[in-house]
Amino acid sequence: MTRHVSQDTVLKLTLGLLQPPAEQRVRDHLRGCTKCLGLMEEAERTVRVIEEITPDITARLPVLPSLRPARSGWFRVAAMLAAGFALGVFASESLRSPALTVVRQQIVPAPPAGPADGFVACDAIDVSGGMLWVEL
Amino acid sequence: MVPQDESLEIAAGWADLERARSGSEKAWRLLFEQYSPRLLRMAALMTGSTDAARDCVQETFVRLLSAVVTHQRGTLRAYLSTIVYRLALKENVRQGRRTPLQAAESASSDPSPLDQTLVDEQQREVARVIRMLPGHHRDILVLRLHGGHSYEEIAEITGVSLGTVKSRIFYAVKSVQRELKNRGVV
C-alpha cells in the first residue's frame, strides 16, 4: 500500500491542479484507501456547496439596454462637448443680470425761448475788431 | 490547439454579437438572456449586493454595444466576464472608500444585500464565508466555480499569471473549507 495523501493534495486533485503523473498516483492510491477517499469526498462536498449558491435574482434582473447603432468614442466625446457647450450657453444666458433695453430716441432741440429776465433779444453779435457790438 | 467544441463556442458567440450590433433585436435579446443570469450571479458574489450586481451587468451590456473588439481570441463569455470583473472591482473600491459611518448607513439601508436573496440558510452561511475572503482570492473562486472559466481564461480575465491563479484558487477553497468545517456546514 502506498503512503496516504495529504488533505492539500486531495484538494488540489479535486480542483484539477495536479500534473498528470501526480494525479494518476493519487487516483491509484484513492482506489484502495477509504481514509483518503473520505478526504476526497469532503473536498468535493466543499466545492459543491460553493457552486450551489444561487441567489434569487429574478426580482432584480437588469433591464435590456436599448439596441442602437454603436457610436465611436469620438462621436460620444463630441456629443458630450456639444451638450456641455449648449448647457453652458443656456446657463450663462440665464444667470446674466436683467437685460438693459436701450430705446433710441431722437432728441429734437427745443425752439429758442424768449430772453431771460434782465436780458434783451438781439439778432446778431458782431465781435469784429475786438469790440462787442450788439445789434438791437 | 483549441478543442473543436470551444472553437465552435468562440465563433458562435462573436457571430451572435455581430448580428446584434448590426441591428437584430432578437439576437440582442438572446445574447442578454443567455449570458446575464451567470454574470449577475458572479457580480452578486463579488460585490455582495444584488443592486450593485444588476448595475454591473447592465453596464456590461451597454459597453458591449459600443466596444471596439480588436481580437476575438477567447469566448464572448470570457469577454463579458472580464468587463463584469473590472466593474465589480471598481464597485468594491468605491465601497471601500466610504467612511465607516457611510458604510454602516448604507448597510442598514441597502434593501438588497446578497443574504436576502438566498432562501437557504446553508447558502447564506457559505456566501458569508466567501465574502470574508480577500478580494483577489474571492474573485478567482467566483470566476472558476460560478463563471465556469478555465484557469487560463481566469489568468486572461484578471491579468495575473496562471501559476498565481492556481495558487489563489487553492488557498481560497482551502480557507472556505476550513471555515465551513468550523461552522459545521461540511
Side-chain angles (χ1 to χ4, degrees), chain A residues 81-94:
Chain A
L81 285 175
F85 178 74
L87 189 67
V89 168
F90 174 75
S92 67
E93 287 294 330
S94 318

Side-chain angles (χ1 to χ4, degrees), chain B:
Chain B
M1 188 177 162
V2 182
Q4 197 182 1
D5 282 354
E6 196 182 328
S7 62
L8 281 177
E9 189 200 341
I10 292 171
W14 293 112
D16 288 344
L17 177 62
E18 277 314 304
R19 269 197 297 280
R21 283 167 61 145
S22 60
S24 166
E25 288 281 351
K26 189 182 171 194
W28 181 233
R29 184 168 295 281
L30 283 175
L31 269 183
F32 189 74
E33 286 170 0
Q34 184 183 352
Y35 293 105
S36 64
R38 189 193 288 257
L39 294 172
L40 200 55
R41 198 159 57 138
M42 279 170 38
L45 287 165
M46 286 175 180
T47 61
S49 157
T50 49
D51 277 355
R54 183 179 52 184
D55 292 346
C56 284
V57 175
Q58 182 106 22
E59 177 65 19
T60 298
F61 278 89
V62 169
R63 289 188 183 194
L64 188 63
L65 270 184
S66 55
V68 180
V69 184
T70 51
H71 67 86
Q72 300 180 351
R73 267 186 305 162
T75 59
L76 178 62
R77 193 163 57 88
Y79 184 76
L80 289 167
S81 293
T82 307
I83 303 177
V84 163
Y85 165 71
R86 290 181 185 168
L87 290 171
L89 270 185
K90 206 181 274 184
E91 171 63 22
N92 286 337
V93 168
R94 198 178 64 80
Q95 283 177 9
R97 279 199 193 126
R98 292 179 187 168
T99 62
L101 183 60
Q102 283 173 321
E105 280 174 358
S106 165
S108 61
S109 61
D110 186 356
S112 61
L114 182 60
D115 259 21
Q116 288 181 12
T117 63
L118 297 168
V119 282
D120 186 71
E121 181 52 37
Q122 178 179 300
Q123 286 194 18
R124 272 199 286 270
E125 200 70 38
V126 179
R128 267 180 231 132
V129 171
I130 291 176
R131 288 291 303 159
M132 284 164 56
L133 290 171
H136 55 285
H137 281 182
R138 180 186 58 236
D139 293 346
I140 283 175
L141 178 142
V142 170
L143 286 166
R144 174 68 180 172
L145 301 181
H146 293 274
H149 292 293
S150 67
Y151 294 129
E152 288 79 6
E153 278 179 330
I154 296 173
E156 284 255 340
I157 291 169
T158 57
V160 298
S161 72
L162 183 60
T164 306
V165 169
K166 289 182 175 179
S167 160
R168 286 181 182 173
I169 184 80
F170 170 72
Y171 284 109
V173 177
K174 188 178 175 179
S175 302
V176 171
Q177 184 179 23
R178 189 172 51 230
E179 194 57 37
L180 291 180
K181 271 172 91 172
N182 289 342
R183 297 176 182 218
V185 176
V186 292

